[in-house]
Amino acid sequence: MTDHLLWYPSPAGEWTDALPLGNGRLGAMVFGGVTRDEFQLNEDTLWSGGPYRPTNPEALDHLEAVRELIFAGRFREAQDLANAHLMGRPYLQTSYQPAGRLLLDFDHETLFSHYRRSLELDRAVTTTRYTADGVAYRREAFASAADGVLVIRITADRPGTVSFAAEFASEQPGVARAAGHALSFDGRNRGEIGIPGALRWAFEARVLAEGGAIEARDERLSVAGADSVTILIDIATSFRRFDDVSGEPQADIAARLDAAAARPYEALLADHLAAHRALYDRFDIDLGRPPAADRPTGERISNFARGDDPALAALYVQYGRYLAIASSRPGNQPANLQGIWNKEIRPPWGSKYTSNINLQMNYWLPDPANLAECVEPLIAMAEELAVTGAETARTHYGARGWVLHHNTDLWRATAPVDGAQWGVWPTGGAWLCAQLWDHARFAGFPEALVARLYPLLAGASRFFLDTLVPLPGTDLMVTAPSVSPENVHPHGSTLCAGPAMDSQLLRDLFDATIAAARRLGRDADLADELAALRARLPTDRIGRQGQLQEWIEDWDADVPEIHHRHVSHLYGLYPSLQIDPAHTPGLAAAARRSLEIRGDDATGWGIGWRINLWARLGDGEHAYEVLRRLLHPERSYRNLFDAHPPFQIDGNFGGAAGIIEMLVQSDEGQVRLLPALPRAWPSGSVRGVRARGGLTLDFSWEGHAITALSVTASQSYSGTLRCGETVLAKGLASGKSVLVTTRVPR
């Protein structure tokens, strides 16, 4: 089926040419140079700063005044007052940091031939191979989740010809050493925004040579005349939790490296492959394999718009799955704006967790792509945010429950930051809860997961019970102050009351809390209270352009940036299930009109969102045209990283999810096959795709018609499976069912 391969005929010239490795905790970017190879390294808890609480004791005393200015239409004054008194202190957050670079300088002539570097997604192994001085060299590298270390293997086809010098370079404060057969670095993290660095951290690389000699001098190790070399690498910090930095990084590293060094390379590789394939091999996708699929990956990106390489779209899905496995495993941090890969001391947007779209988009892919375990770090983060967010709720709003605004970091800061025009948006936690409830929906609502999520849902809902306020002159209840994320309305501000997205999010949050309470037989009074409040939320409105309104007022046509990258008011169409062409045709038509006005061109992640939105509207041709914008050199780097620009990983996950959304859509009562299939993919197959209700599907199609379908249900399923107007099944028993063995047209 899919070729699980990225490959290139030359070394990486830029960071966004390098190939990513990761085990959820450690990240590496592999350059594949000949005379000098570079492994740029990250560890997911190496951030700036230390534990802090950015609450502002002035906020509550000025909250009502900001609301009054908003309701009086004095929006700019409201924004100025909010900037003066409602923002967190400090008003910025900490940033994700690079650990450093392992540099390998090889004793080669500069002339070389037969060069190729590659990343095998199904093995999670990079390979660099070339011939120099008449010797064929090979370097393999992988980040093992099984052993918790990065492994590099260097071999040659002639004994005694592996020679190189190794050193570790870091911009972090600390001391580098070379002793015996190891490189090490002991450091402290940087302070930022007035928050002192509180982390101790360490790096170690052990060089295990077969034959030859190793010499340590100053901060470098030199290997001469070896037959082959294995390098084992680990990084650790003293981080234990957002409020605990008492760990022992050197001891953690020693334990992992000692265990790995006691085992042969072949055993390390075998265990790595088993751990990776346990997740990766659950899913496959085939959209056809033309001759263009044999070209180097960079050329394929440049040529995709020609329409002769459907296999690149399939590869993009698998690359997204690979990145999810590499950056978001249980027990580690969630994927941030750059996953776990960052080379900058001051990365764009701090490489944080931006929760007004980007963090959530990072987790659109795992459930349909059969990687449910990759959502675990997000659940763990939400549980920690509920702790810190409770303090922000009390201090800033005088409210129960918990709140998250538009950004957070390693230290789980939850106050509004960056400026009121971006940060005074109180529904980040609501969106996280809605996302996690959809995760439970995919799983079929297992009781243990529902019970785990319920405190988060109930706490987030209680916050809004205490903070929603009446919209003057109506019986409606709205958020105030809030924003429609990052979009300036015609009155010189973003601050407003009750933007459409907030009401859509709160409908999903309240519905989830009510459903969870009833499933668990708990808190009937809370469920009734939320149902009554839900009925008072503003409904979606259609404006004078026929568009879905972004605000309660019909301001959309008069905004200063008509083609804004955010399409927040279309949350109800995707990722939510509130708007659907079959059940809410008027709202779906208005959402389509909003998309037409907004336009298809956007940042990388903005394009990823638009693919999903057009797919939900059932317009496969338009979704495909937007995909062509994403798989283009302007929006995809040569290593297939998403180009915002700069690199943000959310576009990778959103775009991959959009391709799946073109092929399978579901809600709790229905699964639709090939709902937005473009003409460019007349034949293909998918194995292991998940649908809501606890279903896993394998199916194929030919000439746009389903030719085979089997479904595995984790429990009995009472819904309907259909392709176009054809009903394939109504209700399924638990277990595997073969539903189609002959051609079924759309």
Side-chain angles (χ1 to χ4, degrees):
M1 298 182 79
T2 308
D3 287 336
H4 306 267
L5 183 71
L6 281 67
W7 76 274
Y8 306 84
S10 59
E14 305 286 344
W15 188 84
T16 48
D17 295 341
L19 295 172
L21 295 172
N23 64 4
R25 184 179 64 85
L26 298 175
M29 295 292 287
V30 184
F31 282 68
V34 174
T35 57
R36 165 170 277 196
D37 205 351
E38 176 179 335
F39 295 78
Q40 187 270 311
L41 303 173
N42 291 95
E43 200 271 356
D44 71 342
T45 64
L46 183 54
W47 287 61
S48 62
Y52 72 109
R53 292 291 170 269
T55 52
N56 183 350
E58 294 182 4
L60 183 57
D61 290 342
H62 294 84
L63 177 61
E64 189 57 35
V66 172
R67 285 173 174 157
E68 290 174 0
L69 288 169
I70 289 172
F71 289 138
R74 296 160 62 184
F75 299 103
R76 185 67 203 197
E77 293 175 64
Q79 182 168 305
D80 291 343
L81 187 62
N83 270 319
H85 297 291
L86 300 193
M87 304 309 295
R89 294 182 176 174
Y91 76 98
L92 299 174
Q93 291 178 347
T94 62
S95 58
Y96 184 50
Q97 294 289 294
R101 299 174 297 147
L102 178 67
L103 303 173
L104 306 180
D105 292 319
F106 290 87
D107 186 16
H108 295 324
E109 296 292 335
T110 57
L111 295 177
F112 60 91
S113 62
H114 301 92
Y115 182 92
R116 178 172 166 138
R117 66 184 174 97
S118 62
L119 168 62
E120 297 170 272
L121 302 179
D122 55 342
R123 299 178 73 237
V125 174
T126 62
T127 302
T128 301
R129 64 188 191 213
Y130 58 91
T131 298
D133 307 322
V135 180
Y137 290 93
R138 183 182 184 94
R139 300 179 213 139
E140 290 187 328
F142 57 87
S144 172
D147 290 287
V149 298
L150 177 68
V151 181
I152 303 170
R153 176 73 167 172
I154 306 168
T155 59
D157 69 352
R158 185 183 302 171
T161 56
V162 176
S163 300
F164 63 92
E167 65 177 315
F168 179 70
S170 178
E171 297 180 72
Q172 304 293 341
V175 178
R177 298 181 181 86
H181 292 186
L183 297 171
S184 64
F185 187 94
D186 294 317
R188 304 280 305 199
N189 71 324
R190 293 173 175 268
E192 192 174 9
I193 58 167
I195 306 299
L199 290 172
R200 291 170 290 109
W201 74 278
F203 157 92
E204 185 175 339
R206 295 191 190 176
V207 179
L208 311 176
E210 298 173 25
I214 299 177
E215 179 185 7
R217 179 179 298 176
D218 298 326
E219 298 173 0
R220 292 166 64 91
L221 286 180
S222 295
V223 177
D227 299 333
S228 62
V229 173
T230 301
I231 306 175
L232 305 177
I233 300 165
D234 198 6
I235 307 168
T237 78
S238 59
F239 179 89
R240 288 293 173 262
R241 207 176 85 131
F242 64 90
D243 54 0
D244 182 357
V245 292
S246 64
E248 296 294 338
Q250 290 87 352
D252 292 341
I253 288 174
R256 285 190 288 263
L257 290 182
D258 287 348
R263 306 174 63 230
Y265 172 78
E266 292 74 16
L268 295 174
L269 177 61
D271 287 352
H272 157 71
L273 293 176
H276 177 69
R277 287 171 170 167
L279 296 175
Y280 187 87
D281 285 358
R282 296 173 180 171
F283 174 99
D284 207 356
I285 178 172
D286 181 5
L287 299 175
R289 193 186 186 287
D294 293 324
R295 305 301 302 163
T297 305
E299 290 185 24
R300 296 176 69 184
I301 296 168
S302 296
N303 296 333
F304 182 77
R306 298 177 183 175
D308 61 350
D309 192 1
L312 184 61
L315 181 68
Y316 196 81
V317 174
Q318 293 289 34
Y319 188 57
R321 296 181 70 249
Y322 169 84
L323 294 174
I325 295 168
S327 64
S328 186
R329 278 180 171 268
N332 302 132
Q333 297 300 309
N336 63 46
L337 279 175
Q338 296 182 191
I340 52 172
W341 300 279
N342 165 47
K343 68 182 177 71
E344 305 287 352
I345 292 293
R346 297 190 179 278
W349 301 280
S351 193
K352 300 191 299 292
Y353 302 101
T354 301
S355 51
N356 65 10
I357 174 60
N358 315 91
L359 174 59
Q360 291 85 352
M361 185 179 286
N362 280 0
Y363 288 90
W364 288 354
L365 180 63
D367 279 309
N370 213 333
L371 295 173
E373 293 90 336
C374 293
V375 182
E376 169 61 30
L378 188 67
I379 301 175
M381 169 184 264
E383 291 169 333
E384 294 175 341
L385 290 169
V387 176
T388 59
E391 183 178 350
T392 303
R394 288 191 303 270
T395 305
H396 283 243
Y397 296 91
R400 299 171 296 164
W402 67 280
V403 63
L404 170 66
H405 293 85
H406 92 299
N407 257 299
T408 191
D409 57 13
L410 180 72
W411 312 109
R412 304 308 187 242
T414 56
V417 293
D418 294 341
Q421 58 269 44
W422 300 288
V424 180
W425 180 69
T427 46
W431 195 346
L432 275 186
C433 286
Q435 180 109 4
L436 294 177
W437 189 246
D438 202 38
H439 172 62
R441 187 182 282 120
F442 269 95
F445 299 114
E447 184 175 357
L449 180 57
V450 172
R452 184 180 179 187
L453 296 181
Y454 182 70
L456 303 175
L457 300 169
S461 293
R462 287 190 176 99
F463 171 79
F464 291 103
L465 283 171
D466 291 353
T467 58
L468 293 186
V469 293
L471 181 68
T474 76
D475 188 46
L476 300 175
M477 298 292 284
V478 295
T479 52
S482 189
V483 302
S484 188
E486 305 189 25
N487 199 9
V488 177
H489 57 64
H491 301 281
S493 175
T494 59
L495 263 63
C496 63
M501 182 187 214
D502 284 8
S503 296
Q504 294 169 357
L505 284 168
L506 294 184
R507 281 193 285 274
D508 276 352
L509 172 64
F510 294 168
D511 287 348
T513 307
I514 293 166
R518 290 174 177 166
R519 285 179 177 274
L520 297 171
R522 297 175 56 180
D523 296 337
D525 290 345
L526 174 62
D528 291 343
E529 194 174 0
L530 291 175
L533 184 57
R534 185 195 190 284
R536 297 179 64 188
L537 295 172
T539 58
D540 289 314
R541 302 180 177 194
I542 299 175
R544 64 183 185 274
Q545 296 175 290
Q547 91 287 0
L548 197 68
Q549 288 183 199
E550 187 162 356
W551 297 274
I552 288 177
E553 297 84 356
D554 191 1
W555 290 339
D556 299 52
D558 303 317
V559 296
E561 193 176 349
I562 195 73
H563 303 302
H564 199 271
R565 61 195 177 279
H566 284 261
V567 283
S568 303
H569 55 311
L570 303 187
Y571 164 86
L573 175 62
Y574 185 95
S576 181
L577 301 168
Q578 295 176 40
I579 298 174
D580 176 85
H583 302 112
T584 58
L587 292 177
R592 173 184 286 269
R593 182 64 186 132
S594 289
L595 275 174
E596 291 169 348
I597 294 169
R598 205 65 132 217
D600 294 334
D601 198 18
T603 58
W605 63 261
I607 291 174
W609 195 351
R610 284 160 171 78
I611 296 169
N612 286 278
L613 290 164
W614 282 109
R616 278 282 170 91
L617 290 171
D619 193 333
E621 296 309 317
H622 204 136
Y624 182 75
E625 287 304 307
V626 180
L627 176 63
R628 289 170 66 181
R629 292 176 179 267
L630 185 64
L631 289 177
H632 185 278
E634 291 184 1
R635 289 294 178 263
S636 291
Y637 293 109
R638 284 168 49 82
N639 66 357
L640 272 181
F641 270 177
D642 171 69
H644 178 286
F647 164 53
Q648 278 188 201
I649 204 168
D650 41 20
N652 286 103
F653 295 135
I659 293 168
I660 294 177
E661 195 73 16
M662 294 165 74
L663 303 176
V664 186
Q665 295 178 19
S666 64
D667 53 38
E668 290 182 39
Q670 184 174 242
V671 177
R672 297 184 296 276
L673 301 183
L674 309 182
L677 185 70
R679 290 188 296 270
W681 304 338
S683 304
S685 63
V686 177
R687 174 181 58 80
V689 68
R690 294 175 72 234
R692 294 171 179 87
L695 304 180
T696 304
L697 295 84
D698 305 337
F699 64 94
S700 59
W701 68 96
E702 183 74 34
H704 299 270
I706 292 289
T707 54
L709 168 65
S710 64
V711 183
T712 300
S714 63
Q715 59 196 14
S716 61
Y717 176 75
S718 60
T720 301
L721 283 80
R722 66 172 62 243
C723 181
E725 297 303 314
T726 303
V727 174
L728 304 175
K730 287 187 176 181
L732 293 171
S734 177
K736 185 169 185 177
S737 302
V738 177
L739 302 178
V740 174
T741 57
T742 59
R743 182 183 176 90
V744 177
R746 292 170 63 204

